[in-house]
Amino acid sequence: MKKKIPLPAALSCILLFILCCVCLAYGCFSLSQRCKTLEAQASQLEEDNSRLEDDNSKLNTELTDSTAQLEEKEHYLAGQKEYISELSDQIDAFTDEDDDDSDSDDSDNDWDSDNGDDDTDINTYPNLYAEGHNPKDAKKTVYLTFDDGPSELTPQVLDLLDRYNAKATFFVVQKNNEDCEEYLSEIVERGHTLGLHSYSHNYSLIYSSKDAFLSDYEEVYDWVVDKTGYTPSLFRFPGGSNNGSSYVVSGIIDEMQERGFQYFDWNVSSGDGSELTTTENIIDNICSNVKNVHNPVVLMHDGRGKHATLAALPSVLKYLSDNGYEFLPLDKNVEPVHYR
């Protein structure tokens, strides 16, 4: 016969079981609340992390922009240094020329002093002009010149010039530009002047002797005539006529002029010969200096990689046009700008 469990013991077991269930339920509830708290904290951490990442991204963007602006300013300053150096070379060339003429200038000044000739303001007699010679009626002229082409940029330069009915002068280089020789004829057909700037643009070679220069220029001359049928009469020394020894360059000038050629330097430089020159440099250099010279001859480049020049050209053309300049090409009737 089975032994019955006493009632008190059964009640104790039931109470113990209920207590265990309550404890277990409370533990589950506490764990659930803890999980929710942890989830909320994790969500807050994610939001904080996302906010920090956004702030960090903004700081990086601002830092990148600041760095880019700083680099742009550094490039601008470097370009201006190159431009100032180029101007210094031009001033030195003019100074040398002035020294050669100092004796004759001194004698002229002595004669003026003896005769008591005073400087007369041109505005003192505003109506004393021959017909057709009143400076108030004179047009301002600017001569834009492009060296080292043709290149893949040349057609874009030509299109921009057409927008302003502007004519220019292109001093071309043959070596490494043969793949763009089709643009030679386009330059002529659009009414621009085509000049010579050398075959090789190799300073040490072409300035080594007069014969080396003539040999180099004969090659680019034949190239231009063969591809266009146009016979050029203008040329520009690579780097300007103040490059090379005075003895060699003087001999070259005499020889080329005997052969009917005229050379042109420049009196306004864009400064784009330097790779550091920015578009802003070029615009400033041209627009701030054209007003300081009579009949400005502006040096620019349309050779390979001169994208800063191409980007600056619309602003330059607009400024000059708005200020009443007429764009004309160089020819042998234009008073030349010479460093020597």
Side-chain angles (χ1 to χ4, degrees), residues 6-25:
L7 180 60
L11 291 174
S12 298
C13 290
I14 293 171
L15 289 174
L16 182 62
F17 175 76
I18 292 172
L19 181 62
C20 290
C21 289
V22 170
C23 291
L24 182 62

Side-chain angles (χ1 to χ4, degrees), residues 297-325:
V297 177
V298 181
L299 170 66
M300 292 183 281
H301 295 79
D302 66 325
R304 298 177 189 278
K306 296 300 179 181
H307 298 284
T309 305
L310 182 65
L313 191 55
S315 296
V316 170
L317 289 167
K318 184 179 187 306
Y319 173 85
L320 295 174
S321 179
D322 290 347
N323 282 272
Y325 282 92

Side-chain angles (χ1 to χ4, degrees), residues 145-211:
T145 67
F146 297 89
D147 289 6
D148 296 355
S151 75
E152 70 282 356
L153 302 179
T154 302
Q156 300 174 68
V157 171
L158 293 172
D159 290 342
L160 287 171
L161 292 172
D162 282 348
R163 291 184 193 175
Y164 289 85
N165 193 28
K167 303 305 177 186
T169 304
F170 292 79
F171 292 101
V172 298
V173 173
Q174 179 180 355
K175 189 175 182 180
N176 299 323
N177 290 338
E178 288 91 345
D179 58 333
C180 295
E181 62 189 18
E182 63 189 281
Y183 305 133
L184 295 174
S185 294
E186 192 169 349
I187 290 170
V188 176
E189 290 167 0
R190 296 204 195 188
H192 306 288
T193 294
L194 193 57
L196 307 177
H197 195 41
S198 77
Y199 164 77
S200 65
H201 209 279
N202 185 327
Y203 287 25
S204 61
L205 173 64
I206 61 179
Y207 292 127
S208 61
S209 68
K210 181 174 70 175
D211 285 340

Side-chain angles (χ1 to χ4, degrees), residues 193-264:
T193 294
L194 193 57
L196 307 177
H197 195 41
S198 77
Y199 164 77
S200 65
H201 209 279
N202 185 327
Y203 287 25
S204 61
L205 173 64
I206 61 179
Y207 292 127
S208 61
S209 68
K210 181 174 70 175
D211 285 340
F213 184 94
L214 294 175
S215 176
D216 184 283
Y217 268 68
E218 182 180 43
E219 194 158 355
V220 68
Y221 173 88
D222 290 341
W223 180 58
V224 168
V225 173
D226 178 59
K227 300 302 177 183
T228 67
Y230 174 85
T231 302
S233 60
L234 306 183
F235 74 99
R236 172 171 283 166
F237 287 97
S241 63
N242 55 343
N243 268 284
S245 73
S246 177
Y247 173 77
V248 171
V249 172
S250 295
I252 293 170
I253 291 172
D254 292 341
E255 182 68 29
M256 292 294 280
Q257 288 179 338
E258 281 188 20
R259 295 172 181 269
F261 291 95
Q262 179 61 274
Y263 75 95
F264 279 86

Side-chain angles (χ1 to χ4, degrees), residues 252-299:
I252 293 170
I253 291 172
D254 292 341
E255 182 68 29
M256 292 294 280
Q257 288 179 338
E258 281 188 20
R259 295 172 181 269
F261 291 95
Q262 179 61 274
Y263 75 95
F264 279 86
D265 289 310
W266 56 91
N267 51 21
V268 176
S269 174
S270 66
D272 67 349
S274 169
E275 296 299 325
L276 299 176
T277 305
T278 65
T279 296
E280 185 181 3
N281 284 144
I282 295 169
I283 296 171
D284 288 348
N285 292 340
I286 296 175
C287 297
S288 62
N289 286 293
V290 288
K291 60 181 178 291
N292 298 327
V293 295
H294 178 64
N295 289 342
V297 177
V298 181
L299 170 66

Side-chain angles (χ1 to χ4, degrees), residues 4-68:
K4 293 184 179 179
I5 299 174
L7 180 60
L11 291 174
S12 298
C13 290
I14 293 171
L15 289 174
L16 182 62
F17 175 76
I18 292 172
L19 181 62
C20 290
C21 289
V22 170
C23 291
L24 182 62
Y26 178 77
C28 290
F29 175 77
S30 298
L31 183 62
S32 175
Q33 291 298 110
R34 180 60 178 167
C35 287
K36 290 180 179 179
T37 301
L38 291 175
E39 287 177 355
Q41 291 176 347
S43 178
Q44 184 64 43
L45 287 173
E46 287 180 359
E47 290 179 4
D48 293 342
N49 185 57
S50 177
R51 191 179 301 111
L52 287 173
E53 288 180 352
D54 290 341
D55 292 342
N56 187 52
S57 177
K58 289 178 181 178
L59 288 174
N60 287 334
T61 301
E62 292 175 359
L63 180 60
T64 301
D65 292 342
S66 298
T67 302

